[in-house]
Amino acid sequence: MADIALLKKVAIFNDLDDDEIAAVAEVCREEQFVSGEFIFREGEHGSRLYLIVAGEVRISRDVPGSGEEALAVLKTGALFGEMAVFDRSERSTHAISNGGTRCLTITRADFEMLLDSNRELAYKVLWACVRLLSARLRSTNDSLRSFLAMSMF
């Protein structure tokens, strides 16, 4: 029940009705990771997305000559790993359990099956994905604009 409440808060699922959320919950599997365990590594083939149920996940990448650079620390309710599921690409960062983490996961195959089996659910999820990715692109553009403005001085 708590997992369904958490799913309702996820950006790509928050437009879904109760029956649609229940369908999403049916394809979720739970995974647990100990502190410091890699959930996935940069460059790996990505085949599932993750939702943090408890704990934290450090998103980072290796910088040659410097070591690991932490990019973000994600907390309960955060969705991650979805880019590789959407575009069938390699992982762009590491995801590492930070103090122990419990996640719900959805494989690409299950995600695609869910979208194929329910047109209305697919419509809602895909539009939510468009909004999410647009917001991320807008944020990246703003960050680049600020960075370029600062580098001119």
Side-chain angles (χ1 to χ4, degrees):
M1 212 50 155
D3 292 344
I4 287 179
L6 188 61
L7 283 169
K8 285 183 178 184
K9 294 178 183 177
V10 175
I12 67 171
F13 301 133
N14 64 12
D15 292 338
L16 303 182
D17 64 31
D18 290 344
D19 290 338
E20 293 164 335
I21 286 288
V24 172
E26 285 180 27
V27 299
C28 290
R29 301 293 171 257
E30 186 175 303
E31 289 190 40
Q32 295 195 33
F33 304 92
V34 297
S35 185
E37 182 178 359
F38 278 81
I39 297 168
F40 55 76
R41 294 176 188 270
E42 182 178 357
E44 288 180 348
H45 177 70
S47 62
R48 66 181 59 237
L49 57 83
Y50 299 83
L51 172 63
I52 302 172
V53 175
E56 297 180 344
V57 172
R58 187 172 70 249
I59 303 298
S60 66
R61 61 182 349 157
D62 291 329
V63 177
S66 298
E68 180 190 353
E69 177 187 3
L71 303 172
V73 175
L74 306 177
K75 300 186 182 302
T76 300
L79 182 71
F80 67 99
E82 74 283 358
M83 282 176 31
V85 170
F86 295 162
D87 66 8
R88 297 177 178 260
S89 64
E90 295 176 343
R91 299 291 187 187
S92 60
T93 61
H94 301 307
I96 305 164
S97 175
N98 201 28
T101 310
R102 185 168 66 96
C103 294
L104 293 179
T105 70
I106 303 175
T107 65
R108 176 187 299 118
D110 285 341
F111 187 72
E112 290 175 352
M113 179 203 62
L114 185 66
L115 298 180
D116 286 342
S117 68
N118 186 326
R119 183 176 172 177
E120 185 66 25
L121 181 148
Y123 179 83
K124 291 175 183 179
V125 168
L126 293 175
W127 271 110
C129 289
V130 167
R131 288 191 301 272
L132 174 68
L133 296 174
S134 293
R136 287 180 180 173
L137 181 58
R138 196 174 301 279
S139 176
T140 299
N141 286 342
D142 290 345
S143 295
L144 282 172
R145 190 176 297 121
S146 295
F147 175 77
L148 289 173
M150 289 174 50
S151 69
M152 290 182 178
F153 294 107

